[in-house]
Amino acid sequence: ALPNSAAVSKNRDQRGDYARVSESRRLREVPPFIDLGAKESIVSNFKPPYRAAAPIKGHSLLATFRDRLVLMAYGRQNLLRAPTHVAVDSRQRLIISDPDLNSVHVIDSAGKNAFRIAGGTNHRFSSPDGIAVDANDNIYVVDLHEGMVQVFDPAGNFIRAIGVFRGERRFDKPTAIAINQKQNLLYVLDGPANELVVLDTEGNFVERVGRRSKRNVEFNYPSEIAVTGDRIVVLDDFGARVQVFDTSFSRLSSFRVKIHDGPPVLHEI
């Protein structure tokens, strides 16, 4: 049987609202404390392929003149295109993943200076997502599509990649990370595997927590994690459940949160 016209109209309105919400996120204004007058520098750790043309360094007078014309005509371009995750280091700098730009922004506390990390050696970002900072302000970035975690020093210089062992990927699709700075432990959620992988901050394997582990813990597509004090908080069940654990992964509590049966409409988000 064909659906009635009222149901079709309702579904169409919901899809329209959902599309408008997505577009509004993409066109979100940059926070007013970020001064875009100074250009954002780019830290590029990766090397061009063999026989590739070397990138031109510097900025020509012609390019500067062109940029000023574009600025006069269209105004300043937003520094952030699709901010997804944010972390703060001990210097109070904002560290923001931006998958639409395949980059991570590092912005000082005054919002006057910024630089952008484009990826590590031989591993340009494909889809940077979850981010975390260790006790030394090193920056850890999950690359969703590449299935790895890349580590950078506070200046954006590449240190190492975590997630490949003897040529094999350790993660299926890492969705989020968190760091226990007191114990120097890195927690990586692997959504499709329904696991939380624990490593030290050097990338050495410690244990897996999930259905296949010895611990009595079960996840259903975990997607976000946070660590505070001696508590580990995980969002799973496709965004419908929050579980709280201690550092030994004994579950202390859990609760459900509302989810949507279909595309969410504007006033429900």
Side-chain angles (χ1 to χ4, degrees), residues 82-84 97-103 126-129:
T84 304
S97 62
D98 194 339
D100 270 20
L101 289 177
N102 296 329
S103 303
S126 175
S127 181
D129 204 328

PDB file of all heavy atoms in Angstrom, residues 82-84 97-103 126-129:
ATOM      1  N   ALA A  82      34.471  22.321  10.070  1.00  0.00           N
ATOM      2  CA  ALA A  82      33.592  21.317  10.685  1.00  0.00           C
ATOM      3  C   ALA A  82      34.195  20.864  12.003  1.00  0.00           C
ATOM      4  O   ALA A  82      34.647  19.736  12.122  1.00  0.00           O
ATOM      5  CB  ALA A  82      33.387  20.139   9.744  1.00  0.00           C
ATOM      6  N   PRO A  83      34.258  21.732  13.016  1.00  0.00           N
ATOM      7  CA  PRO A  83      34.846  21.344  14.300  1.00  0.00           C
ATOM      8  C   PRO A  83      34.086  20.178  14.907  1.00  0.00           C
ATOM      9  O   PRO A  83      32.858  20.217  15.012  1.00  0.00           O
ATOM     10  CB  PRO A  83      34.726  22.616  15.149  1.00  0.00           C
ATOM     11  CG  PRO A  83      33.623  23.398  14.512  1.00  0.00           C
ATOM     12  CD  PRO A  83      33.692  23.100  13.049  1.00  0.00           C
ATOM     13  N   THR A  84      34.811  19.117  15.279  1.00  0.00           N
ATOM     14  CA  THR A  84      34.168  17.874  15.727  1.00  0.00           C
ATOM     15  C   THR A  84      34.499  17.540  17.167  1.00  0.00           C
ATOM     16  O   THR A  84      33.617  17.245  17.960  1.00  0.00           O
ATOM     17  CB  THR A  84      34.589  16.712  14.808  1.00  0.00           C
ATOM     18  OG1 THR A  84      34.267  17.054  13.453  1.00  0.00           O
ATOM     19  CG2 THR A  84      33.872  15.424  15.176  1.00  0.00           C
ATOM     20  N   SER A  97      39.710  19.078  16.189  1.00  0.00           N
ATOM     21  CA  SER A  97      39.756  18.265  14.973  1.00  0.00           C
ATOM     22  C   SER A  97      38.741  18.804  13.971  1.00  0.00           C
ATOM     23  O   SER A  97      37.654  19.247  14.331  1.00  0.00           O
ATOM     24  CB  SER A  97      39.459  16.797  15.295  1.00  0.00           C
ATOM     25  OG  SER A  97      38.167  16.642  15.833  1.00  0.00           O
ATOM     26  N   ASP A  98      39.126  18.767  12.698  1.00  0.00           N
ATOM     27  CA  ASP A  98      38.305  19.337  11.634  1.00  0.00           C
ATOM     28  C   ASP A  98      38.360  18.396  10.425  1.00  0.00           C
ATOM     29  O   ASP A  98      39.176  18.570   9.513  1.00  0.00           O
ATOM     30  CB  ASP A  98      38.836  20.724  11.262  1.00  0.00           C
ATOM     31  CG  ASP A  98      37.860  21.534  10.425  1.00  0.00           C
ATOM     32  OD1 ASP A  98      36.975  20.922   9.810  1.00  0.00           O
ATOM     33  OD2 ASP A  98      37.988  22.768  10.381  1.00  0.00           O
ATOM     34  N   PRO A  99      37.507  17.357  10.391  1.00  0.00           N
ATOM     35  CA  PRO A  99      37.598  16.368   9.314  1.00  0.00           C
ATOM     36  C   PRO A  99      37.320  16.934   7.924  1.00  0.00           C
ATOM     37  O   PRO A  99      37.821  16.399   6.938  1.00  0.00           O
ATOM     38  CB  PRO A  99      36.556  15.310   9.708  1.00  0.00           C
ATOM     39  CG  PRO A  99      35.655  15.985  10.691  1.00  0.00           C
ATOM     40  CD  PRO A  99      36.488  16.993  11.396  1.00  0.00           C
ATOM     41  N   ASP A 100      36.540  18.005   7.823  1.00  0.00           N
ATOM     42  CA  ASP A 100      36.283  18.584   6.502  1.00  0.00           C
ATOM     43  C   ASP A 100      37.545  19.166   5.890  1.00  0.00           C
ATOM     44  O   ASP A 100      37.692  19.206   4.667  1.00  0.00           O
ATOM     45  CB  ASP A 100      35.205  19.674   6.590  1.00  0.00           C
ATOM     46  CG  ASP A 100      33.809  19.098   6.394  1.00  0.00           C
ATOM     47  OD1 ASP A 100      33.664  17.875   6.583  1.00  0.00           O
ATOM     48  OD2 ASP A 100      32.879  19.853   6.060  1.00  0.00           O
ATOM     49  N   LEU A 101      38.469  19.642   6.734  1.00  0.00           N
ATOM     50  CA  LEU A 101      39.744  20.177   6.257  1.00  0.00           C
ATOM     51  C   LEU A 101      40.866  19.148   6.372  1.00  0.00           C
ATOM     52  O   LEU A 101      42.013  19.458   6.060  1.00  0.00           O
ATOM     53  CB  LEU A 101      40.128  21.438   7.044  1.00  0.00           C
ATOM     54  CG  LEU A 101      39.304  22.687   6.766  1.00  0.00           C
ATOM     55  CD1 LEU A 101      39.755  23.833   7.670  1.00  0.00           C
ATOM     56  CD2 LEU A 101      39.410  23.104   5.302  1.00  0.00           C
ATOM     57  N   ASN A 102      40.539  17.930   6.850  1.00  0.00           N
ATOM     58  CA  ASN A 102      41.550  16.895   7.078  1.00  0.00           C
ATOM     59  C   ASN A 102      42.706  17.431   7.917  1.00  0.00           C
ATOM     60  O   ASN A 102      43.883  17.205   7.611  1.00  0.00           O
ATOM     61  CB  ASN A 102      42.081  16.351   5.745  1.00  0.00           C
ATOM     62  CG  ASN A 102      41.003  15.646   4.947  1.00  0.00           C
ATOM     63  OD1 ASN A 102      40.094  15.058   5.515  1.00  0.00           O
ATOM     64  ND2 ASN A 102      41.090  15.715   3.628  1.00  0.00           N
ATOM     65  N   SER A 103      42.368  18.149   8.974  1.00  0.00           N
ATOM     66  CA  SER A 103      43.381  18.838   9.767  1.00  0.00           C
ATOM     67  C   SER A 103      42.977  18.902  11.233  1.00  0.00           C
ATOM     68  O   SER A 103      41.827  18.632  11.595  1.00  0.00           O
ATOM     69  CB  SER A 103      43.593  20.269   9.253  1.00  0.00           C
ATOM     70  OG  SER A 103      43.954  20.292   7.895  1.00  0.00           O
ATOM     71  N   SER A 126      43.272  11.546   6.885  1.00  0.00           N
ATOM     72  CA  SER A 126      42.156  11.232   6.018  1.00  0.00           C
ATOM     73  C   SER A 126      40.848  11.699   6.637  1.00  0.00           C
ATOM     74  O   SER A 126      40.019  12.309   5.974  1.00  0.00           O
ATOM     75  CB  SER A 126      42.100   9.727   5.746  1.00  0.00           C
ATOM     76  OG  SER A 126      40.962   9.377   5.000  1.00  0.00           O
ATOM     77  N   SER A 127      40.674  11.422   7.928  1.00  0.00           N
ATOM     78  CA  SER A 127      39.480  11.869   8.642  1.00  0.00           C
ATOM     79  C   SER A 127      39.801  11.981  10.135  1.00  0.00           C
ATOM     80  O   SER A 127      39.428  11.119  10.929  1.00  0.00           O
ATOM     81  CB  SER A 127      38.319  10.890   8.422  1.00  0.00           C
ATOM     82  OG  SER A 127      37.158  11.330   9.091  1.00  0.00           O
ATOM     83  N   PRO A 128      40.502  13.045  10.549  1.00  0.00           N
ATOM     84  CA  PRO A 128      40.832  13.215  11.966  1.00  0.00           C
ATOM     85  C   PRO A 128      39.575  13.403  12.801  1.00  0.00           C
ATOM     86  O   PRO A 128      38.679  14.154  12.412  1.00  0.00           O
ATOM     87  CB  PRO A 128      41.708  14.470  11.977  1.00  0.00           C
ATOM     88  CG  PRO A 128      41.293  15.229  10.753  1.00  0.00           C
ATOM     89  CD  PRO A 128      40.933  14.192   9.735  1.00  0.00           C
ATOM     90  N   ASP A 129      39.519  12.711  13.931  1.00  0.00           N
ATOM     91  CA  ASP A 129      38.288  12.748  14.718  1.00  0.00           C
ATOM     92  C   ASP A 129      38.607  12.984  16.193  1.00  0.00           C
ATOM     93  O   ASP A 129      38.878  14.098  16.599  1.00  0.00           O
ATOM     94  CB  ASP A 129      37.519  11.443  14.517  1.00  0.00           C
ATOM     95  CG  ASP A 129      36.026  11.600  14.789  1.00  0.00           C
ATOM     96  OD1 ASP A 129      35.671  12.414  15.649  1.00  0.00           O
ATOM     97  OD2 ASP A 129      35.217  10.896  14.149  1.00  0.00           O
TER      98      ASP A 129
END
